[in-house]
Amino acid sequence: MAKTPVELSEKGFEEYVEEHLLKSGYIKGNPDDYNKEFAIDTKLLFGFLEDTQPKKMERLREIYKEQYQFKVLSRLNRELNNRGMIDVLRHGIKDYGVYLDLAYFQPASKLNDEMIKLYEKNRISVTRQVHYSIKNENSIDMLICVNGLPVVVLELKNPFTGQTYQDAIMQYKKDRSPNELLFQFKKRAIVFFAVDTSEVYMTTRLSRNKTLFLPFNKGCDGGKGNPENPNGFKTAYLWEEILQKDSLMDLLHRFVYIQTKEKEDIDGNKYTTETVIFPRYHQLDSVRKLEADAKEKGVGTNYLIQHSAGSGKTNSISWLAHRLSNLHDDKDNPVFDSVIVITDRRVLDKQLQDSIYQLEHKHGVVQKIDKDSTQLANAVKDGTRIIISTLQKFPFIIEKVGELENQKYAVIIDEAHSSSAGENMASLREVLSANTLEEAAKLDEEGEVYDPDEEILKVIKKRGKQANISFFAFTATPKAKTLEMFGTIGDDGLPHPFHLYSMRQAIEENFILDVLQNYTTYETYFKLAKKVEDDPAFDKAKATKALTRYVSIHPHNIAQKTEIIVEHFRNVASKKIGGRAKAMVVTSSRLHAVRYKHAFDEYIKKKGYKNMKTLVAFSGTVKDNGEDYTESEMNKFKESELPKRFATDDYRVLLVAEKYQTGFDQPLLHTMYVDKKLSGVKAVQTLSRLNRTCPGKSDTFVLDFVNSAEDIQESFKPYYQATIVEEVTEPNLLYDIQNELNAYGIYIQEELEKFIQIYYKPKAKKNSKDRAMLNHYVDVAVERFKKQGEEIQQEFKSQSVKYVRLYSFILQITPFEDVELHKLFVYLTYLLKKLPKGKGSTVHLSDEIALEYYVNKKTFEGSASLSSDDENVPVTPVRFAGAMVNEGESEYLSSIIDRLNKRFGTEFTKSDQLSVEQIKEDFATDEDLVLKAKTNSIDDFSLAFEKVFLNKVIDRMDQNQSFFTRILDDEQFKTALMNMMLVETYEKLSNSN
């Protein structure tokens, strides 16, 4: 057999890695200097100690005489076994009253020359083929020591010899006894790498077959693995970057720590577990890149970190908060005075406190705001280094803070959702504005002199992007507005995440499960009948919604779905995860949740099923059939106890209505039953409750009564790889809406100006008459509004809401200073509060109809998983998310019922083509549509076309109900058909005589 060339062998791979480390400043270790009894390279250790602390070592030599080295080693060994390697490296040991440093770390500031010189005296060594055991001659491929203390073990495999990182992992599990001192948890080596030329895996605890190795890869094209390296091995980043001297010392100094968790077994006994936390690649990469960018650019930059569920955001946030709180610029000035962490995760507080104590060995660095807003205001004023609070507290600080120094802030937002774009975020900016004190003082000096326009500009600056605040927003599912507010503008002019760890990569690396892997959908078919002889007319849209709700909440509907759910859970889902699997039922309303709870309990009792107790989760009080229901009364314990109770084996099914659909981590959740319309980020967040991993959990299951597999796929696509946005919100759109609103004549410019004049008067100068006049200038507009027709009222209200939302958002993403626009924003905000609500906002039809026929049928079963080939669907820009008000259009009840019956389960006929031709004829005879085609571009015409298209579809409903129902019901089908007909219709009508 031909001998493998050395460069293609495992030995050749070792030599290559060693050579690179030696060139970068490592010392070549000698395996003969490794003391197996103490698991320490004694030559390197004493060389370091005598070089850096000669007087201390001389003192110990005088004390211990000829036993000097053995005594120091014995003392060090005892401390390592008691305190662990991490603590000893960071904080040294005391021996006979002599304090010894075991390592020196790079200081945050360059001002301390002595510490820098000591740091440079660290001896970082690489030693190959170390025989570590006193029991056998087993050896490890590579050992990295800091001043003789072992910190990193590497097993390297070269695929050219037929072995990969997987063989290295098996070697650790089978041949590396955790009882050997070098491998004992915490006491010696900190991290163990399994490496080949393509992939890297690591662990911090060897436990034979129970050892859990995690990928330590960069990711490739949005998925697992590593990208091609034109300069050599795909895994070269490990020895070229991660294990580089400064990087390794930084990891040991400011990343690695021991996480302690208190747990409770099924019998209620409490115990603690310890885990050595070593950052995963994406965590290390993101924190370091954020730190470097903030150092370079200083305060005032926003960052969006799109990290999937399962990415370890809690640790990433902890590390980032600590590093930002110590960050200095090139002139050794602090970049930030305080770091404020906005989160609702209770676990983050303790974890942040514990990890920073280990990193700094001091208390008081972190302050959790667990009292009132005064406590928060004081923490901000006092310049507390790291403050943890909730977003809800920030609006109250404005009233509490009397003075605020001109400080610089890093604000870290945990799970940046749309709430971050609302008034709370604006309040946060206003409180932390660098201009607050300066402006207050200036106003006192100027006394009575004030200019409303000037005051408005100040408000804009406060609420807009601030030069003294940097935002670091973490989220797995960014919306378009989140991207625009926090994203980094790329070469294409669009906002992108600053750092990405995708859902796809998290799934492929087995940190989370693919919740679309096993997806089953049911469709509900039903028939309605009238109970009254006459045929009353109702608002079409509202009546349709009322009829759909009538069916969804009908006792027979809930009873049949309950039977499907209970029997599926008992026969299939309950047997998962070793018989401990749990399920969540997502209902469409609080009333649904209450009725499902009754139906479940009745069915389970009727069948005599044991061990299937249910819990319900909803807010407030629900009235049903004259009775009041609350969550705590139905569950028979406090709301706050639910997560802990559900975690026990007593409860298996949780029925929810807008609770526990986000931020709820229960790894035993295996199955979800969905009886609610879900779309977009809501669908992703809800279904992602299932994706947490735990021992014995290898898959998930979703049974969906409402949504199609295709719709759910579309919801997941924007977040599967990188979230993108097709175009940014256009601030100039505000002028278009402003012109439209002015044209209605509902408010008069002169009245608006007088309103603003009073509104921005100094508080001390306002009187009771001013309050009355503010109301007057709004009331006159309300009276004009009431005199308009219903269609004009709906249009004005819709455009006003759209303007207010868009303006409020744009203020936070761009320095858009236009006094006139802000005046209108303020005025409309108050006008909308006084405008009367539409007539007949709810239609009740339960007395007029009856359910004649009902059945659930399975329509899809299988995998709805996405792949890397799926197109990355962009999230919708804000400008398309205006508040639209549906036109009230009357239709006879019989037609509505007929349309609904046809909508569920009818096959299309061959007359579909004829139906399209009929709609085309309708377009040609519509004089208003013809005029718009002749006088507008196709882009402007398309806006009118969509509205007319839907009207024509509804008008033709009776002639081909199955076809036209599909248009209304299937968004993709409707869009495709409209786009197809748009161009043809425009060309035909614009050129007609």
Side-chain angles (χ1 to χ4, degrees):
M1 185 180 225
K3 186 177 180 181
T4 303
V6 67
E7 63 270 16
L8 302 180
S9 67
E10 185 177 307
K11 181 181 178 182
F13 189 24
E14 286 179 31
E15 289 177 350
Y16 180 89
V17 175
E18 179 190 50
E19 182 181 349
H20 181 89
L21 292 175
L22 293 175
K23 285 181 179 178
S24 69
Y26 273 62
I27 296 171
K28 185 177 176 67
N30 186 338
D32 294 336
D33 296 331
Y34 179 81
N35 186 312
K36 297 178 184 179
E37 182 182 355
F38 293 109
I40 294 171
D41 187 318
T42 53
K43 183 178 180 180
L44 286 169
L45 171 67
F46 283 99
F48 166 77
L49 291 174
E50 289 168 1
D51 181 30
T52 59
Q53 300 154 83
K55 292 182 180 179
K56 295 178 180 179
M57 296 306 291
E58 183 61 34
R59 170 71 180 141
L60 291 172
R61 189 180 285 108
E62 291 173 358
I63 295 171
Y64 292 130
K65 309 299 189 224
E66 67 274 2
Q67 288 188 304
Y68 152 67
Q69 285 202 357
F70 176 76
K71 287 288 188 178
V72 172
L73 279 172
S74 297
R75 175 62 184 159
L76 175 57
N77 180 59
R78 213 164 32 246
E79 287 288 76
L80 286 169
N81 291 342
N82 291 335
R83 292 162 49 202
M85 178 63 74
I86 298 169
D87 194 54
V88 166
L89 273 174
R90 285 181 182 150
H91 307 298
I93 63 169
K94 281 187 177 181
D95 187 0
Y96 224 99
V98 177
Y99 173 78
L100 295 176
D101 285 303
L102 276 304
Y104 295 103
F105 297 100
Q106 199 165 28
S109 168
K110 298 176 184 176
L111 299 176
N112 194 327
D113 289 336
E114 184 182 350
M115 285 303 299
I116 293 173
K117 289 176 181 177
L118 286 171
Y119 170 73
E120 292 171 349
K121 288 191 174 186
N122 285 312
R123 287 164 161 78
I124 317 298
S125 65
V126 53
T127 310
R128 287 174 52 204
Q129 296 303 318
V130 175
H131 294 269
Y132 56 83
S133 179
I134 58 176
K135 300 174 183 176
N136 55 55
E137 285 303 305
N138 288 351
S139 65
I140 53 174
D141 289 342
M142 196 168 285
L143 176 67
I144 292 175
C145 295
V146 173
N147 304 320
L149 300 180
V151 292
V152 179
V153 174
L154 297 100
E155 293 289 354
L156 297 99
K157 302 297 176 185
N158 194 332
F160 281 127
T161 64
Q163 291 193 314
T164 68
Y165 74 87
Q166 293 173 318
D167 295 285
I169 288 175
M170 290 307 299
Q171 198 169 17
Y172 278 118
K173 290 182 176 182
K174 301 293 183 185
D175 302 334
R176 307 289 180 246
S177 170
N179 295 322
E180 293 283 357
L181 186 55
L182 178 62
F183 306 135
Q184 285 184 23
F185 177 66
K186 293 195 312 180
K187 297 179 181 180
R188 292 299 190 274
I190 293 169
V191 62
F192 306 89
F193 286 106
V195 188
D196 64 21
T197 58
S198 296
E199 295 198 56
V200 180
Y201 278 71
M202 63 93 173
T203 188
T204 57
R205 186 170 201 162
L206 296 182
S207 308
R208 292 291 189 183
N209 288 329
K210 294 181 180 178
T211 306
L212 176 64
F213 274 86
L214 305 177
F216 192 80
N217 296 315
K218 286 185 167 187
C220 183
D221 295 329
K224 67 178 182 178
N226 287 301
E228 293 293 335
N229 179 3
N231 299 314
F233 297 117
K234 290 182 179 180
T235 51
Y237 63 89
L238 180 63
W239 52 89
E240 291 178 358
E241 300 170 21
I242 308 303
L243 298 179
Q244 186 264 344
K245 284 178 61 177
D246 289 341
S247 171
L248 176 62
M249 295 304 290
D250 180 55
L251 279 163
L252 297 173
H253 184 207
R254 299 200 292 168
F255 275 100
V256 180
Y257 76 99
I258 297 172
Q259 183 183 90
T260 303
K261 287 186 177 180
E262 187 175 275
K263 296 186 177 181
E264 189 174 315
D265 62 23
I266 56 176
D267 297 321
N269 301 312
K270 293 184 178 180
Y271 63 98
T272 59
T273 61
E274 288 186 329
T275 306
V276 172
I277 300 296
F278 189 92
R280 286 148 59 182
Y281 182 85
H282 72 270
Q283 293 174 315
L284 182 64
D285 188 57
S286 62
V287 170
R288 283 180 168 173
K289 284 179 177 175
L290 287 163
E291 181 185 32
D293 201 76
K295 180 176 181 176
E296 177 189 344
K297 295 177 180 174
V299 70
T301 304
N302 290 349
Y303 303 90
L304 177 67
I305 304 94
Q306 184 179 347
H307 281 188
S308 166
S311 65
K313 283 194 286 290
T314 300
N315 276 327
S316 298
I317 290 170
S318 298
W319 284 316
L320 181 62
H322 176 247
R323 295 175 81 90
L324 293 179
S325 72
N326 288 287
L327 186 60
H328 289 71
D329 60 22
D330 290 334
K331 296 180 180 179
D332 283 316
N333 297 314
V335 176
F336 302 107
D337 296 298
S338 290
V339 177
I340 302 174
V341 182
I342 310 299
T343 183
D344 286 321
R345 282 190 233 203
R346 295 188 184 97
V347 69
L348 183 59
D349 167 49
K350 185 178 187 307
Q351 189 163 317
L352 193 54
Q353 300 266 18
D354 292 346
S355 63
I356 288 179
Y357 178 75
Q358 290 185 47
L359 297 174
E360 292 205 13
H361 213 60
K362 65 174 73 168
H363 293 290
V365 177
V366 181
Q367 181 175 357
K368 179 187 177 185
I369 306 304
D370 51 9
K371 296 178 183 177
D372 55 20
S373 52
T374 302
Q375 181 194 22
L376 180 53
N378 290 335
V380 173
K381 282 199 298 182
D382 295 343
T384 302
R385 280 176 57 194
I386 300 176
I387 302 167
I388 302 180
S389 186
T390 59
L391 190 57
Q392 289 75 16
K393 279 193 170 67
F394 272 92
F396 303 106
I397 318 176
I398 298 174
E399 303 171 12
K400 301 290 183 180
V401 178
E403 276 189 12
L404 190 61
E405 295 181 8
N406 188 1
Q407 293 181 315
K408 298 172 292 182
Y409 299 89
V411 179
I412 301 175
I413 305 172
D414 180 15
E415 284 299 329
H417 297 311
S418 57
S419 60
S420 302
E423 288 303 307
N424 286 337
M425 183 58 64
S427 299
L428 186 155
R429 284 197 173 96
E430 191 165 339
V431 173
L432 302 183
S433 168
N435 301 317
T436 303
L437 272 180
E438 180 185 340
E439 290 168 359
K442 188 175 180 181
L443 189 61
D444 287 340
E445 289 172 10
E446 292 177 347
E448 299 181 8
V449 180
Y450 88 103
D451 180 356
D453 287 0
E454 199 57 33
E455 294 297 316
I456 292 169
L457 286 174
K458 291 173 184 175
V459 171
I460 294 172
K461 288 176 181 176
K462 288 177 186 176
R463 296 167 66 95
K465 191 173 181 180
Q466 284 298 301
N468 71 318
I469 306 174
S470 289
F471 286 98
F472 300 80
F474 284 78
T475 181
T477 50
K479 295 180 181 178
K481 62 170 65 176
T482 313
L483 265 171
E484 291 196 54
M485 190 181 302
F486 302 115
T488 302
I489 302 300
D491 295 336
D492 55 4
L494 299 176
H496 299 269
F498 178 85
H499 197 274
L500 172 69
Y501 179 71
S502 69
M503 182 190 299
R504 176 187 160 201
Q505 186 174 350
I507 290 171
E508 291 182 1
E509 292 186 340
N510 297 315
F511 286 114
I512 58 173
L513 297 169
D514 182 358
V515 298
L516 303 185
Q517 186 75 49
N518 301 295
Y519 210 95
T520 297
T521 62
Y522 274 69
E523 189 159 345
T524 302
Y525 297 90
F526 61 85
K527 183 177 181 181
L528 298 173
K530 283 195 304 168
K531 292 197 299 186
V532 292
E533 292 184 6
D534 57 343
D535 202 9
F538 294 95
D539 179 281
K540 180 186 292 185
K542 292 172 184 174
T544 300
K545 186 175 181 180
L547 288 169
T548 304
R549 176 175 171 79
Y550 170 83
V551 173
S552 75
I553 210 159
H554 195 282
H556 188 70
N557 171 35
I558 290 178
Q560 190 177 91
K561 288 178 182 175
T562 295
E563 181 178 353
I564 292 171
I565 294 170
V566 172
E567 295 303 332
H568 177 271
F569 183 79
R570 286 190 69 256
N571 296 319
V572 182
S574 64
K575 296 177 173 60
K576 298 287 185 174
I577 320 181
R580 298 189 66 201
K582 298 179 184 292
M584 177 181 283
V585 181
V586 180
T587 71
S588 58
S589 75
R590 297 184 308 143
L591 180 56
H592 280 83
V594 169
R595 292 195 177 178
Y596 261 118
K597 172 66 173 167
H598 289 314
F600 265 70
D601 292 349
E602 289 170 9
Y603 184 84
I604 291 168
K605 182 179 180 181
K606 174 184 172 184
K607 290 288 187 177
Y609 294 150
K610 305 296 182 184
N611 302 319
M612 197 178 167
K613 293 170 71 176
T614 66
L615 294 175
V616 66
F618 60 90
S619 59
T621 301
V622 174
K623 293 184 180 293
D624 188 25
N625 295 323
E627 297 287 334
D628 288 348
Y629 297 96
T630 66
E631 175 187 314
S632 57
E633 289 170 351
M634 296 190 82
N635 291 330
K636 296 180 173 57
F637 54 75
K638 296 177 182 177
E639 283 187 48
S640 58
E641 295 180 19
L642 191 146
K644 185 177 179 181
R645 296 279 191 127
F646 187 55
T648 67
D649 288 342
D650 292 338
Y651 298 96
R652 306 296 297 275
V653 179
L654 176 61
L655 309 153
V656 302
E658 289 299 335
K659 286 187 78 172
Y660 299 106
Q661 287 174 239
T662 59
F664 178 57
D665 292 344
Q666 172 46 260
L668 292 176
L669 264 182
H670 174 277
T671 300
M672 183 173 288
Y673 303 97
V674 181
D675 193 23
K676 177 182 181 178
K677 189 67 178 174
L678 296 173
S679 63
V681 67
K682 193 73 173 177
V684 178
Q685 291 171 347
T686 300
L687 295 178
S688 292
R689 295 312 97 214
L690 299 179
N691 66 19
R692 300 310 192 263
T693 59
C694 69
K697 185 178 178 182
S698 59
D699 61 3
T700 64
F701 180 82
V702 179
L703 193 158
D704 196 325
F705 292 102
V706 179
N707 309 280
S708 70
E710 292 78 13
D711 287 344
I712 295 298
Q713 278 185 327
E714 289 302 313
S715 294
F716 269 75
K717 280 182 181 179
Y719 309 105
Y720 185 60
Q721 298 191 69
T723 302
I724 58 173
V725 60
E726 280 187 319
E727 55 184 300
V728 297
T729 301
E730 174 54 63
N732 288 324
L733 183 61
L734 286 167
Y735 294 119
D736 298 335
I737 305 174
Q738 181 190 32
N739 292 333
E740 290 182 34
L741 289 170
N742 290 343
Y744 286 106
I746 288 174
Y747 56 82
I748 306 299
Q749 194 63 35
E750 183 181 353
E751 296 167 352
L752 187 153
E753 292 289 344
K754 290 179 179 178
F755 176 92
I756 294 298
Q757 191 77 19
I758 298 172
Y759 185 85
Y760 280 103
K761 256 190 185 181
K763 189 174 182 181
K765 296 297 179 182
K766 286 182 182 174
N767 53 43
S768 57
K769 183 179 180 183
D770 287 331
R771 189 177 297 110
M773 292 309 296
L774 282 173
N775 276 273
H776 167 71
Y777 291 128
V778 172
D779 290 341
V780 290
V782 171
E783 291 305 314
R784 294 190 197 101
F785 176 86
K786 291 178 179 178
K787 294 175 183 177
Q788 305 297 323
E790 187 176 347
E791 184 175 350
I792 296 296
Q793 289 182 353
Q794 289 175 341
E795 289 176 359
F796 178 82
K797 189 181 290 188
S798 173
Q799 291 298 91
S800 296
V801 171
K802 187 174 181 180
Y803 179 91
V804 169
R805 288 180 179 174
L806 185 61
Y807 183 82
S808 183
F809 174 68
I810 285 176
L811 270 184
Q812 299 173 69
I813 63 173
T814 181
F816 192 67
E817 299 181 3
D818 188 308
V819 171
E820 298 307 317
L821 290 182
H822 192 77
K823 289 177 181 178
L824 181 58
F825 165 72
V826 173
Y827 184 79
L828 287 177
T829 300
Y830 289 91
L831 176 59
L832 282 167
K833 293 177 181 179
K834 283 205 165 191
L835 292 182
K837 291 183 171 62
K839 297 177 182 178
S841 56
T842 304
V843 174
H844 300 281
L845 296 174
S846 55
D847 293 335
E848 285 81 22
I849 54 178
L851 186 65
E852 280 190 350
Y853 167 79
Y854 178 100
V855 66
N856 286 295
K857 292 183 180 179
K858 189 183 294 184
T859 56
F860 174 87
E861 184 173 26
S863 172
S865 299
L866 300 171
S867 72
S868 58
D869 297 329
D870 281 302
E871 183 181 352
N872 207 26
V873 178
V875 288
T876 306
V878 173
R879 73 182 187 88
F880 295 117
M884 301 305 295
V885 180
N886 293 327
E887 291 190 9
E889 194 177 335
S890 292
E891 184 179 34
Y892 285 110
L893 179 60
S894 56
S895 300
I896 299 172
I897 292 174
D898 197 25
R899 177 161 59 88
L900 273 172
N901 286 334
K902 294 296 183 182
R903 173 180 174 182
F904 291 88
T906 302
E907 295 294 329
F908 300 133
T909 68
K910 293 181 180 180
S911 63
D912 294 349
Q913 183 60 43
L914 176 61
S915 298
V916 174
E917 294 300 326
Q918 290 171 334
I919 294 179
K920 288 180 180 178
E921 292 176 9
D922 291 341
F923 291 151
T925 57
D926 188 316
E927 295 181 1
D928 184 56
L929 192 64
V930 172
L931 180 62
K932 288 177 178 175
K934 290 180 177 292
T935 57
N936 287 282
S937 67
I938 190 169
D939 289 337
D940 293 333
F941 174 76
S942 65
L943 300 175
F945 177 75
E946 179 176 358
K947 182 177 178 181
V948 175
F949 176 86
L950 293 176
N951 287 339
K952 300 303 182 188
V953 167
I954 293 171
D955 292 341
R956 290 281 182 182
M957 185 64 66
D958 292 337
Q959 293 157 8
N960 189 346
Q961 290 178 347
S962 62
F963 177 72
F964 291 120
T965 298
R966 179 175 180 180
I967 295 173
L968 295 174
D969 200 38
D970 189 329
E971 189 67 27
Q972 288 183 320
F973 180 77
K974 181 194 76 174
T975 302
L977 183 59
M978 272 202 312
N979 290 341
M980 178 187 74
M981 299 182 68
L982 172 62
V983 177
E984 182 181 341
T985 304
Y986 179 74
E987 291 179 352
K988 182 178 180 180
L989 299 188
S990 61
N991 295 320
S992 63
N993 295 324

